[in-house]
Tab-separated table of all heavy atoms in Angstrom:
chain	number	residue	atom	x	y	z
A	1355	ALA	N	-9.666	28.669	-34.557
A	1355	ALA	CA	-11.133	28.927	-35.242
A	1355	ALA	C	-10.696	29.708	-36.658
A	1355	ALA	O	-11.316	29.460	-37.606
A	1355	ALA	CB	-11.777	29.891	-34.328
A	1363	ALA	N	-12.902	28.145	-46.275
A	1363	ALA	CA	-12.751	28.838	-47.634
A	1363	ALA	C	-12.264	27.933	-48.674
A	1363	ALA	O	-12.696	27.951	-49.894
A	1363	ALA	CB	-11.677	29.978	-47.412
A	1428	VAL	N	-53.015	-18.275	-83.891
A	1428	VAL	CA	-53.624	-17.257	-84.516
A	1428	VAL	C	-54.756	-16.642	-83.613
A	1428	VAL	O	-55.599	-17.239	-83.225
A	1428	VAL	CB	-54.350	-17.575	-85.868
A	1428	VAL	CG1	-54.973	-16.467	-86.544
A	1428	VAL	CG2	-53.263	-18.213	-86.748
A	1542	GLN	N	16.289	53.196	20.726
A	1542	GLN	CA	15.162	52.379	20.455
A	1542	GLN	C	14.377	52.874	19.142
A	1542	GLN	O	13.801	52.061	18.478
A	1542	GLN	CB	14.260	52.295	21.632
A	1542	GLN	CG	12.923	51.388	21.470
A	1542	GLN	CD	13.322	49.845	21.240
A	1542	GLN	OE1	14.219	49.350	21.918
A	1542	GLN	NE2	12.674	49.292	20.254
A	1546	ASP	N	13.048	50.972	15.933
A	1546	ASP	CA	11.699	50.802	15.541
A	1546	ASP	C	11.430	51.346	14.057
A	1546	ASP	O	10.708	50.883	13.306
A	1546	ASP	CB	10.855	51.724	16.468
A	1546	ASP	CG	10.722	51.269	17.771
A	1546	ASP	OD1	11.007	49.948	18.115
A	1546	ASP	OD2	10.517	51.932	18.890
A	1553	ASN	N	9.019	45.916	7.812
A	1553	ASN	CA	7.648	45.357	7.708
A	1553	ASN	C	6.900	45.891	6.447
A	1553	ASN	O	6.212	45.081	5.705
A	1553	ASN	CB	6.796	45.682	8.891
A	1553	ASN	CG	7.186	45.013	10.174
A	1553	ASN	OD1	7.824	44.030	10.070
A	1553	ASN	ND2	6.847	45.565	11.342
A	1590	LYS	N	16.613	35.562	-20.259
A	1590	LYS	CA	16.973	36.466	-19.230
A	1590	LYS	C	16.628	37.925	-19.587
A	1590	LYS	O	16.854	38.243	-20.809
A	1590	LYS	CB	18.535	36.264	-18.891
A	1590	LYS	CG	18.884	34.862	-18.470
A	1590	LYS	CD	18.236	34.477	-17.145
A	1590	LYS	CE	18.736	33.047	-16.684
A	1590	LYS	NZ	18.039	32.645	-15.516
A	1592	SER	N	18.475	40.407	-19.011
A	1592	SER	CA	19.715	41.109	-19.469
A	1592	SER	C	19.947	40.644	-20.924
A	1592	SER	O	20.859	41.359	-21.628
A	1592	SER	CB	20.875	40.620	-18.572
A	1592	SER	OG	20.977	39.252	-18.574
A	1623	LEU	N	-11.077	41.129	-54.532
A	1623	LEU	CA	-12.465	40.591	-54.294
A	1623	LEU	C	-13.577	41.553	-54.872
A	1623	LEU	O	-14.465	41.064	-55.628
A	1623	LEU	CB	-12.694	40.099	-52.889
A	1623	LEU	CG	-12.068	38.934	-52.344
A	1623	LEU	CD1	-12.357	38.688	-50.915
A	1623	LEU	CD2	-12.649	37.722	-53.184
A	1648	SER	N	-41.688	5.386	-68.449
A	1648	SER	CA	-42.989	5.809	-67.805
A	1648	SER	C	-43.880	4.648	-67.975
A	1648	SER	O	-43.812	3.938	-69.009
A	1648	SER	CB	-43.449	7.100	-68.778
A	1648	SER	OG	-43.641	6.713	-70.082
A	1650	VAL	N	-47.974	2.911	-67.002
A	1650	VAL	CA	-49.431	3.190	-66.808
A	1650	VAL	C	-50.057	1.862	-66.279
A	1650	VAL	O	-49.544	0.810	-66.546
A	1650	VAL	CB	-50.121	3.691	-67.943
A	1650	VAL	CG1	-49.677	5.063	-68.344
A	1650	VAL	CG2	-50.012	2.716	-69.179
A	1654	PHE	N	-52.819	-0.286	-58.650
A	1654	PHE	CA	-51.397	-0.172	-58.162
A	1654	PHE	C	-50.545	-1.498	-58.267
A	1654	PHE	O	-49.444	-1.481	-58.671
A	1654	PHE	CB	-51.420	0.065	-56.618
A	1654	PHE	CG	-50.110	0.157	-55.800
A	1654	PHE	CD1	-49.344	1.364	-56.084
A	1654	PHE	CD2	-49.479	-0.833	-55.234
A	1654	PHE	CE1	-48.140	1.470	-55.465
A	1654	PHE	CE2	-48.342	-0.730	-54.518
A	1654	PHE	CZ	-47.537	0.456	-54.702
A	1716	SER	N	-2.773	56.048	-41.519
A	1716	SER	CA	-2.836	55.352	-40.268
A	1716	SER	C	-1.485	54.707	-39.941
A	1716	SER	O	-0.906	54.768	-38.819
A	1716	SER	CB	-3.900	54.460	-40.144
A	1716	SER	OG	-3.897	53.681	-38.951
A	1774	ARG	N	14.331	51.777	-3.187
A	1774	ARG	CA	13.183	50.962	-3.640
A	1774	ARG	C	12.391	51.701	-4.722
A	1774	ARG	O	11.902	51.022	-5.671
A	1774	ARG	CB	12.216	50.551	-2.401
A	1774	ARG	CG	12.974	49.597	-1.527
A	1774	ARG	CD	11.866	48.858	-0.634
A	1774	ARG	NE	11.205	49.769	0.133
A	1774	ARG	CZ	11.516	50.268	1.383
A	1774	ARG	NH1	12.697	49.774	1.899
A	1774	ARG	NH2	10.711	51.046	2.072
A	1791	LYS	N	9.313	48.435	-27.911
A	1791	LYS	CA	9.984	47.662	-28.871
A	1791	LYS	C	9.108	46.665	-29.673
A	1791	LYS	O	9.056	46.640	-30.880
A	1791	LYS	CB	11.026	46.797	-28.163
A	1791	LYS	CG	11.849	45.778	-29.091
A	1791	LYS	CD	12.852	45.025	-28.189
A	1791	LYS	CE	13.470	43.889	-29.010
A	1791	LYS	NZ	12.627	42.915	-29.366
Side-chain angles (χ1 to χ4, degrees):
V1428 179
Q1542 180 65 42
D1546 293 340
N1553 290 337
K1590 304 296 182 182
S1592 57
L1623 279 175
S1648 62
V1650 294
F1654 181 77
S1716 175
R1774 291 198 300 274
K1791 171 180 178 292

